[in-house]
Amino acid sequence: MTSRTAATEISTPYAEALMSVATSNNVLDPVAENVRSLLSALQDSPDLQNFLANPLMKPDLKKAVLRQIAQDSLHPYTLNFLMLLVDKGRIVLLESICQQFQERYRKLNQIVLAQVTSAIPLTDEQKEAVRQRVISITGARQVELETDLDSDLLGGVIIKIGSQVIDASLRGQLRRIGLRLTAA
């Protein structure tokens, strides 16, 4: 079993427990927003990840840092959950737990994650056009966009929704033309 699979298997019950507590106490949306912020902070700060993963750091120090990061911006249920993770020695899995939580939250609320790769940054109008296209394809109520830049595309976009890939890039169009020409 790979470490990623093991992390997912351990993270899933924690994500489900947070989802259950937040749902039963009618605070799912604020907790989901907290989880989104935490995930963003972890992805933006390798130092924070390393600090939380460091087994030499005392749990009380980890809790103090998490409380300082929270500074009244986290819902009490989210903060208590973080303290529980420190107590159980599972804070190292926070990123995986947050990802699992987000997947369940999206499924519950019929939200689709679309990963969009483009050659240049998309305008707000282009992002909205992509959202509408994804909604028409998937029937989702809402679409979250994750954007990425790839200068090799030359132009256009590649949209990934789960395992489905929509290649509307100039490079993809040229490749399809080349395949048609060689097949003819």
Side-chain angles (χ1 to χ4, degrees), residues 9-51:
E9 283 188 22
I10 296 169
S11 301
T12 299
Y14 285 97
E16 289 171 351
L18 181 59
M19 175 77 69
S20 176
V21 167
T23 302
S24 64
N25 289 288
N26 265 350
V27 292
L28 183 58
D29 290 335
V31 169
E33 186 55 41
N34 290 167
V35 168
R36 186 183 345 267
S37 298
L38 284 168
L39 190 54
S40 178
L42 288 169
Q43 291 171 341
D44 292 344
S45 176
D47 291 339
L48 177 60
Q49 282 182 347
N50 292 335
F51 172 78

Side-chain angles (χ1 to χ4, degrees), residues 179-184:
L179 288 172
R180 280 190 219 134
L181 289 174
T182 56

Side-chain angles (χ1 to χ4, degrees), residues 23-181:
T23 302
S24 64
N25 289 288
N26 265 350
V27 292
L28 183 58
D29 290 335
V31 169
E33 186 55 41
N34 290 167
V35 168
R36 186 183 345 267
S37 298
L38 284 168
L39 190 54
S40 178
L42 288 169
Q43 291 171 341
D44 292 344
S45 176
D47 291 339
L48 177 60
Q49 282 182 347
N50 292 335
F51 172 78
L52 293 174
N54 188 338
L56 300 177
M57 294 294 165
K58 302 262 187 248
D60 289 340
L61 182 59
K62 290 180 182 183
K63 286 181 177 183
V65 168
L66 288 169
R67 281 188 189 100
Q68 185 162 1
I69 290 171
Q71 290 189 0
D72 299 329
S73 65
L74 292 182
H75 192 279
Y77 285 113
T78 309
L79 186 57
N80 287 341
F81 182 74
L82 293 175
M83 299 304 116
L84 173 78
L85 292 178
V86 172
D87 290 340
K88 298 289 185 184
R90 300 297 194 198
I91 195 68
V92 67
L93 299 171
L94 182 58
E95 184 175 10
S96 178
I97 292 167
C98 289
Q99 290 168 341
Q100 293 291 321
F101 180 92
Q102 281 192 310
E103 283 180 26
R104 280 152 181 71
Y105 180 78
R106 286 184 189 118
K107 188 174 183 178
L108 180 69
N109 291 292
Q110 296 178 342
I111 300 170
V112 171
L113 175 64
Q115 297 166 314
V116 182
T117 306
S118 60
I120 58 172
L122 299 176
T123 66
D124 289 340
E125 294 82 23
Q126 291 168 325
K127 288 179 184 178
E128 186 56 32
V130 169
R131 274 190 189 91
Q132 294 307 317
R133 175 84 170 129
V134 171
I135 286 172
S136 70
I137 291 170
T138 63
R141 273 199 275 159
Q142 231 179 322
V143 175
E144 284 183 20
L145 293 183
E146 250 181 35
T147 58
D148 193 24
L149 297 178
D150 181 357
S151 58
D152 291 341
L153 286 183
L154 304 175
V157 296
I158 297 175
I159 305 169
K160 184 177 178 194
I161 309 161
S163 61
Q164 183 180 8
V165 177
I166 303 165
D167 188 350
S169 67
L170 186 54
R171 183 176 61 186
Q173 291 173 17
L174 290 172
R175 186 178 63 245
R176 285 188 292 276
I177 290 171
L179 288 172
R180 280 190 219 134
L181 289 174

